[in-house]
Amino acid sequence: MEGGDMRNRADPDQSRSDGEKKDSSTQTDNRGQRPGPRLSKMNLFTLLSLWMEVFPQQEQPSKEEEEEEEEENHSEIRGVGLVVVWDSKVVGFHCSSPDLHAGQAAIIQHGARLAECQLYFSRRPCATCLKMIINAGVSQISFWPGDPEVSMLKSTSTKPSRHQCHGPTDWITEEAALDAMATEKLKSNSRPHICMLLQPLAPGFAQFVEETSQGTDFMERVADDEPELDTEKIFNREQQRYLKTFFRQFLVETSEEHHKVLTQMGLENICMEPYFSSLRSIMKELVEVLAAVAAGVPHQEFGFYREEFSTGGPSQAKTSLLPCHYEDISQEVARHCMVQARLLAYRTEDPKVGVGAVIWAKGQLAGCEGTAGLSLVGCGYNAYPAGSQYGEYPQMDDKQEDRQRRKYRFIIHAEQNALTLRARDIQSGCATMLFVTKCPCDECVPLIRGAGITHVYTSDQDRDKDKGDISYIRFSSLKGVEKFIWQKNPLSSSHLINGYVGKQDNQSTKKQCTSRTLNTPLVS
């Protein structure tokens, strides 16, 4: 029964004693105590789908165009984010474009490879997408139980007031009602399991995310470069901005209105109290987590800017190895991809440092209009080897004097997992971009170069540091790879060196990502 899964999917770590803990959805069998809360895979995939829904579009339609399109369609089609999972591994990120729905983009890109995959939607897909997805043989479809893709809510310009509504469908378009009927018929006759996989967050997890998001390398760089700024105030402002946007986008405004939407979607079984209130509460918690993670990569005149010269000075100019028809992605897209990596980092099995990595390729692959021409290569987080038991490995950092009890020789790094578990091979001649939340270490630098990564987006707070068991010396000498480092916009406080923009306190001159709107928010 749709919706019933959520009641039976409580986090197993919360219902067992420490000696019995085992999360079947994790990469490893986690037994023994963990030093901090961890994001379940179900919630991770849900959060990633929500974040994909707000993927920055390269060309935003004007207000006049939006009004004309709405008048023509007589209904509002909501954008949708989609995460494709196979064998607990992410193999696709998709979102709607002006022409293609997220489900259609997934069908075009994956085709029959969707068989036995699990699909996580940011909202219920429309009947057009659902029939194709079912036909592809997916094993499971999960969606966020808010307003569906074919919206049940008319726009504010056409929606009647509460006093004008005379029946349960007066405020719902005819198209939405027909689509809801069709999707319900498809669901009842389908082979895939269609459900909502949401779990209550572990106690203290939301606070843990907020605290760690305020202390990211990106926030630290802001504090280092602009010591007069109040980074806590910056973070809080960013967090509140995202919260306002996400609550409006993902949570139906009132409980009464949400109740009506779910009823019209055929989900009366989850509208009973106290289950319905619990559902909205979990949704609210996840939205708050997403806002905190996104706020950890702030918009305060900072972004990812290319290193144009080596540390030897302007005379040692580097030449781009990419064909001239490749363009750098915008700052909005770069931030969006880094937040994806940050979300993945909360699945870490590293007791101290969570690292996430996402690899995107920019090319001519079909079905990528909604993602600025980018297609997913792979993603990962730092963890112990798959199938192993968490408690059997050393978990100490370099402060432990006994080197045999340190974790470094056992942890698989986020970049290594992203390359090992990638969804497809890296193609030569195709711009392939690695987004990683911390500076790549010496162990990963040869892999990055050897795999054919062409761009690296990262922070450099640990750059050139040697911590004994782990060092970051080789990243500076990494050749043949474009490096985009998180820092202050060179145009905001810079001088010219031989015609190039550079920072006064850094010999390494930077060049900004090509972007029409550097400081435009990810979502409006």
Side-chain angles (χ1 to χ4, degrees):
M1 181 171 62
E2 188 168 12
D5 273 62
M6 184 178 167
R7 301 181 219 191
N8 302 321
R9 295 285 186 121
D11 191 342
D13 282 359
Q14 297 181 24
S15 60
R16 303 182 183 184
S17 63
D18 288 338
E20 298 175 326
K21 287 183 180 179
K22 183 176 180 180
D23 184 351
S24 60
S25 67
T26 64
Q27 179 176 358
T28 68
D29 294 331
N30 297 312
R31 295 177 181 176
Q33 293 184 345
R34 287 196 291 268
R38 190 176 184 221
L39 190 62
S40 73
K41 276 197 173 181
M42 293 178 189
N43 286 344
L44 171 63
F45 299 149
T46 298
L47 286 169
L48 287 169
S49 72
L50 298 181
W51 186 238
M52 281 306 301
E53 181 170 312
V54 295
F55 196 100
Q57 298 298 307
Q58 296 294 83
E59 296 184 4
Q60 297 288 353
S62 65
K63 186 175 181 180
E64 291 76 14
E65 291 174 335
E66 288 180 340
E67 291 177 351
E68 290 177 2
E69 183 177 357
E70 184 175 337
E71 289 177 1
E72 291 176 359
N73 295 336
H74 302 290
S75 66
E76 184 176 356
I77 304 298
R78 300 283 190 186
V80 174
L82 169 60
V83 177
V84 180
V85 177
W86 180 80
D87 193 25
S88 294
K89 303 175 183 66
V90 176
V91 297
F93 286 142
H94 305 279
C95 64
S96 302
S97 69
D99 295 323
L100 282 177
H101 296 192
Q104 294 171 332
I107 288 288
I108 289 173
Q109 193 169 126
H110 301 281
R113 293 189 300 275
L114 286 176
E116 302 305 317
C117 285
Q118 297 83 45
L119 274 57
Y120 290 77
F121 284 91
S122 61
R123 57 187 73 235
R124 192 184 69 178
C126 68
T128 300
C129 294
L130 190 59
K131 65 184 179 184
M132 297 178 69
I133 291 166
I134 291 172
N135 192 53
V138 301
S139 62
Q140 179 177 278
I141 299 171
S142 175
F143 62 87
W144 181 266
D147 195 27
E149 186 168 20
V150 180
S151 177
M152 293 286 181
L153 303 174
K154 289 186 178 181
S155 65
T156 54
S157 60
T158 59
K159 180 180 174 181
S161 68
R162 297 177 186 274
H163 300 292
Q164 294 174 315
C165 291
H166 301 290
T169 60
D170 286 349
W171 54 284
I172 299 176
T173 65
E174 181 183 5
E175 184 67 25
L178 291 172
D179 189 78
M181 180 182 67
T183 52
E184 186 65 19
K185 173 67 81 173
L186 287 165
K187 184 197 72 172
S188 62
N189 287 278
S190 67
R191 292 170 294 172
H193 183 49
I194 303 178
C195 55
M196 294 171 296
L197 299 180
L198 300 176
Q199 293 179 323
L201 295 176
F205 181 76
Q207 181 179 355
F208 173 73
V209 170
E210 184 170 341
E211 291 174 353
T212 52
S213 294
Q214 289 189 57
T216 62
D217 283 6
F218 309 103
M219 295 299 299
E220 286 185 6
R221 184 62 183 266
V222 174
D224 291 345
D225 288 1
E226 300 287 346
E228 72 279 2
L229 293 178
D230 186 343
T231 53
E232 182 178 356
K233 184 177 180 180
I234 292 172
F235 176 84
N236 290 335
R237 183 179 67 238
E238 291 281 290
Q239 184 182 29
Q240 290 303 313
R241 181 175 66 85
Y242 280 116
L243 278 173
K244 182 178 179 181
T245 300
F246 294 159
F247 280 142
R248 182 176 66 247
Q249 182 148 355
F250 300 125
L251 281 165
V252 180
E253 186 174 353
T254 66
S255 297
E256 293 79 10
E257 199 167 43
H258 192 189
H259 190 285
K260 290 181 180 179
V261 168
L262 293 179
T263 300
Q264 292 297 326
M265 289 168 63
L267 301 179
E268 298 92 340
N269 58 315
I270 66 171
C271 292
M272 298 177 292
E273 294 291 351
Y275 179 64
F276 179 68
S277 296
S278 176
L279 173 70
R280 284 184 61 89
S281 177
I282 294 174
M283 292 167 69
K284 182 175 180 292
E285 286 181 335
L286 289 176
V287 165
E288 289 172 346
V289 165
L290 184 60
V293 173
V297 189
H299 288 84
Q300 184 68 33
E301 293 187 353
F302 279 70
F304 296 93
Y305 299 97
R306 179 195 279 122
E307 290 187 348
E308 188 66 21
F309 298 109
S310 70
T311 54
S315 62
Q316 300 183 21
K318 295 189 298 183
T319 303
S320 174
L321 301 179
L322 295 177
C324 60
H325 64 270
Y326 284 121
E327 295 182 359
D328 299 325
I329 60 175
S330 68
Q331 290 289 347
E332 298 96 308
V333 172
R335 279 193 180 93
H336 195 278
C337 296
M338 189 58 71
V339 172
Q340 290 174 337
R342 289 213 61 238
L343 284 168
L344 287 158
Y346 286 103
R347 278 291 300 165
T348 184
E349 292 177 335
D350 189 323
K352 184 177 180 181
V353 181
V355 182
V358 181
I359 304 174
W360 287 90
K362 188 174 180 67
Q364 304 300 319
L365 198 62
C368 296
E369 292 88 349
T371 53
L374 299 178
S375 58
L376 181 69
V377 173
C379 59
Y381 49 87
N382 52 339
Y384 292 105
S388 57
Q389 294 185 357
Y390 173 86
E392 292 183 354
Y393 283 107
Q395 299 160 31
M396 304 301 294
D397 56 22
D398 54 7
K399 296 180 180 179
Q400 173 66 36
E401 293 184 3
D402 184 359
R403 294 186 65 188
Q404 293 183 357
R405 297 179 61 187
R406 296 179 185 176
K407 63 190 178 183
Y408 299 103
R409 295 183 186 274
F410 305 96
I411 288 283
I412 298 178
H413 299 188
E415 303 97 312
Q416 297 168 356
N417 264 322
L419 289 170
T420 302
L421 306 177
R422 62 184 182 272
R424 64 186 183 89
D425 290 333
I426 295 173
Q427 301 175 357
S428 60
C430 181
T432 306
M433 309 172 189
L434 168 67
F435 298 84
V436 58
T437 57
K438 291 193 72 73
C439 178
C441 69
D442 292 354
E443 189 175 323
C444 292
V445 164
L447 293 170
I448 292 171
R449 179 173 54 242
I453 301 292
T454 60
H455 296 63
V456 175
Y457 291 76
T458 188
S459 67
D460 65 348
Q461 291 298 93
D462 288 328
R463 187 173 184 157
D464 298 328
K465 293 181 180 179
D466 186 350
K467 300 183 179 180
D469 289 276
I470 186 168
S471 59
Y472 303 88
I473 306 299
R474 303 177 70 175
F475 182 67
S476 292
S477 60
L478 178 60
K479 305 294 185 182
V481 177
E482 298 284 345
K483 303 169 190 171
F484 290 82
I485 307 301
W486 173 262
Q487 60 180 297
K488 188 176 181 181
N489 184 352
L491 297 177
S492 62
S493 59
S494 60
H495 67 291
L496 295 178
I497 304 177
N498 294 337
Y500 290 91
V501 177
K503 293 183 67 178
Q504 297 184 21
D505 60 346
N506 192 342
Q507 289 181 325
S508 177
T509 308
K510 319 285 183 177
K511 181 180 178 181
Q512 71 181 53
C513 296
T514 302
S515 176
R516 289 172 294 184
T517 54
L518 287 178
N519 294 314
T520 302
L522 292 175
V523 287
S524 59

